[in-house]
Each structure stands twice: as C-alpha cells, then as structure tokens.
C-alpha cells in the first residue's frame, strides 16, 4: 500500500486467533511471499498467515534446493515483507543449519524477530528438536514445527518424497507432533504426508495443523506463491494448483485460493497422497 493510503482494517492475526479458528473449524489460508508488493496483495486477499519461506532459494534465487539459503537472505526478504504491516501473521523460516543447537536457534530466531520483523518462526525438525522449541517458547518466540517432508533434509531423505507411509514412520510422526506441541509449538506444518495420518495428527493436537500435500482434513493449507500463480517453470508439485486460470488476475487468483481453502474445495483428491 502507498504511504498515506488507508484501507479497511482487518484485525491482526495472532497465535490466539489461529487457535480459535481451529476450535471453530474455520480453515486457515496461508501462502508464501518474499517481497513488499506481494505481501500487500496477499493481505488484501484475506490470507491469514504469510510465510517467508526458505523456498526463496528456489523461486527467488533459482537454486536447486533450499540448502544454500542464508540468515542474511531470510532477514532481507522478511524485512521487505514486514514493511507491508499486514494483518496476516508473518512467519519466517529458519534456514538450513541455523537451528541445531539451542544457542544457535535462540540467536537466529531472535534475529528473525528483531531484524526481520517475524511474529513466528518455522523450523524443520522432528521430536529431537523439542528442547530447542521449548527454549524458543521460554524466550517468548512463537514456533511452527515443520514435519514430514523436510526439504532441508532432501539429501538424507533421498528426494522430495511422501513421508509417513509405513506404519512405524507414521507412529513416529504422530509422536513427534505430540512431543513438539508439548514443548510449546504454537503450530505444526505437515508437508507431503498421507491424508489419513494428517487427520490423526490434527485430531490429536490442540494447535493448528497446516498442510501442503497433506490432504484436506488439517486446519489450514499453504502453497508456494509462484506455483499457485502459474509462474513456476516446468512441472509444479502434484499437491499444488495454479489458480490463475480461475482467478483471471493476481488479486483474483489469490482470492480464489482463499475461497477454495475456506470452502474446502482445495485440496481435492488429486492434490492428496
Ligand atoms: N516452487 C516450489 N514449490 C514447493 O512446493 C516447494 C519448493 N519450491 N521448494 C521447497 C520445497 C520442495 N518441495 C517439493 C518439491 C517437489 C515435490 C515433488 O515432486 N513431489 C512428488 C511426490 C513424490 C512422491 O509421491 O513421493 C510429486 O509428484 O509432487 C514435493 C515437494 C516443496 N517446496
Ligand atoms: C513450502 C513451505 C511450507 C516452506 O517451508 C517454504 O516455502 O519454504
Ligand atoms: Mg521452507
């Protein structure tokens, strides 16, 4: 929005308001953004949570993976988005190797909050990260724990593959979700997880569960902005959908996405594992 321009006020989205949305069964619509202009557009479309994702390594920088993304990259893009002063909650990814000791996690999450303007940080991890989530919680930093397909672990996982298909892996993920919620996580994000397991985790937790390639039974959805605007070169992941044909324009596509999430028409069966 231009300086001095006024807009009808939307109440700021908070950890508490997201919890209420889960309790009421209202779906939470989330998207990534990496700059000021798109942050304003997402906010106007009624998006609840804006994620400055480390997917910026791919969609902003043209890299093959998210691994080279730095703290400086994350802070730069977070600051650009934060200047939109959105009612949408601003969540920022902790990049690869920024959160594997308590001291580093506190230092780097602190930087995303202080310098980046984040209101929540997201970290990829398992139950092993419980102590880190607990210490961030002690520091008053809202945390989203990202489970399932963790793109920062792509070389360990052997590719961008669905996670939690085998019974033992499914039990472990459910236990990780419980442990991370117990440690203080305010939100969970499940990427590329079979819909049945997602439904189980969503029912077993009080905090909102956001999905990407995780079916329609979780509390909200997230997509990478460039994928849903049809801007990604080549094939988009199966779980994604281009909303541009339906929306007709960028604001139209963003509104169509929010409406489809709220109206439970996205994701459909073909986007689900
Ligand atoms: N543009 C973009 N979109 C994303 O969703 C995204 C990124 N970048 N970068 C970071 C991660 C990487 N992601 C990905 C990338 C590819 C698949 C993929 O190709 N999945 C297969 C399913 C494989 C299986 O069945 O096990 C697919 O067909 O969609 C999944 C997640 C999600 N994230
Ligand atoms: C795909 C979402 C969940 C993400 O972590 C990112 O954009 O980096
Ligand atoms: Mg990410």
């Amino acid at each position: 929005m231009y300086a001095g321009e006024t807009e009808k006020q939307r109440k700021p989205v908070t950890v508490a308001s997201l919890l209420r949305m889960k309790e009421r069964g209202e779906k939470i619509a989330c998207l990534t953004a990496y700059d000021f202009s798109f942050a304003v557009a997402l906010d106007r479309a009624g998006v609840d949570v804006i994620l400055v994702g480390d997917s910026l390594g791919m969609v902003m920088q043209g890299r093959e993976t998210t691994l080279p993304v730095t703290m400086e990259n994350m802070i730069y893009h977070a600051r650009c988005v934060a200047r939109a002063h959105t009612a949408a909650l601003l969540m920022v990814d902790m990049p690869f190797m920024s959160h594997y000791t308590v001291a580093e996690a506190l230092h780097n999450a602190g930087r995303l909050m202080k310098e980046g303007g984040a209101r929540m940080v997201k970290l990829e991890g398992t139950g092993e990260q419980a102590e880190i989530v607990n210490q961030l919680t002690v520091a008053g930093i809202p945390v989203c724990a990202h489970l399932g397909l963790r793109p920062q672990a792509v070389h360990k996982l052997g590719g961008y593959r669905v996670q939690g298909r085998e019974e033992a892996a499914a039990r472990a993920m459910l236990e990780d979700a419980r442990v991370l919620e117990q440690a203080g996580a305010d939100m969970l994000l499940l990427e590329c997880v079979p819909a049945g397991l997602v439904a189980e985790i969503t029912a077993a937790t009080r905090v909102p569960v956001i999905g990407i390639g995780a079916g329609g039974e979780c509390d909200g959805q997230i997509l990478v902005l460039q994928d849903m605007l049809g801007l990604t070169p080549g094939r988009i992941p199966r779980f994604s959908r281009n909303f541009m044909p339906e929306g007709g324009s960028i604001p139209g596509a963003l509104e169509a996405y929010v409406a489809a999430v709220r109206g439970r028409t996205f994701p459909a069966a073909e986007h689900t594992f």
Side-chain angles (χ1 to χ4, degrees):
M1 153 178 27
Y2 296 109
E5 193 185 346
T6 56
E7 198 157 352
K8 71 172 189 296
Q9 291 292 312
R10 189 154 72 95
K11 273 206 186 129
V13 175
T14 63
V15 165
S17 70
L18 292 172
L19 207 60
R20 281 198 299 276
M21 287 180 78
K22 172 164 184 156
E23 285 164 5
R24 292 178 186 148
E26 293 168 25
K27 297 289 183 188
I28 300 166
C30 318
L31 282 174
T32 68
Y34 315 94
D35 69 15
F36 171 82
S37 303
F38 272 112
V40 171
L42 265 57
D43 205 41
R44 287 180 174 168
V47 167
D48 299 300
V49 176
I50 298 176
L51 170 66
V52 179
D54 61 349
S55 53
L56 70 82
M58 274 121 147
V59 298
M60 294 283 109
Q61 301 175 331
R63 298 179 188 280
E64 297 282 336
T65 71
T66 58
L67 274 64
V69 174
T70 65
M71 275 297 297
E72 307 313 315
N73 294 158
M74 296 310 302
I75 290 169
Y76 171 79
H77 286 280
R79 287 172 74 109
C80 293
V81 169
R83 285 187 201 110
H85 298 291
T86 57
L89 185 127
L90 174 53
M91 172 160 80
V92 181
D93 263 347
M94 304 277 291
F96 180 54
M97 293 309 287
S98 69
H99 59 277
Y100 294 98
T101 68
V102 169
E104 277 189 303
L106 284 170
H107 175 73
N108 288 319
R111 289 193 68 196
L112 294 180
M113 302 291 284
K114 281 174 129 166
E115 299 173 49
R119 300 212 172 155
M120 180 182 286
V121 301
K122 177 162 78 62
L123 51 86
E124 295 181 13
T126 62
E128 301 290 332
Q129 262 73 48
E131 179 55 19
I132 283 161
V133 170
N134 181 247
Q135 289 301 314
L136 292 170
T137 301
V138 170
I141 299 177
V143 183
C144 174
H146 179 157
L147 301 166
L149 170 54
R150 292 168 290 120
Q152 291 170 14
V154 61
H155 299 304
K156 187 78 177 173
L157 299 175
Y160 297 114
R161 299 224 174 98
V162 175
Q163 301 295 309
R165 278 206 203 271
E166 293 83 28
E167 192 55 24
R171 292 308 108 208
M173 204 187 298
L174 176 60
E175 185 55 24
D176 284 348
R178 286 207 176 98
V179 164
L180 290 164
E181 176 176 45
Q182 197 60 40
D186 300 281
M187 193 151 86
L188 300 174
L189 186 144
L190 301 180
E191 176 166 349
C192 292
V193 176
L197 174 57
V198 176
E200 227 184 311
I201 293 173
T202 305
T205 49
R206 200 175 72 96
V207 297
V209 177
I210 307 301
I212 174 166
E217 286 186 62
C218 45
D219 305 303
Q221 299 293 325
I222 188 161
L223 287 178
V224 169
L225 180 65
Q226 277 70 8
D227 296 343
M228 60 77 68
L229 291 178
L231 288 173
T232 303
R235 200 181 62 87
I236 59 173
R238 190 189 115 175
F239 53 74
S240 202
R241 179 176 140 196
N242 178 1
F243 284 82
M244 203 58 152
E246 178 185 335
S249 66
I250 289 171
L254 297 173
E255 284 172 22
Y257 169 76
V258 172
V261 171
R262 297 224 198 289
R264 299 158 198 252
T265 57
F266 179 82
E270 70 259 30
H271 308 112
T272 300
F273 298 110

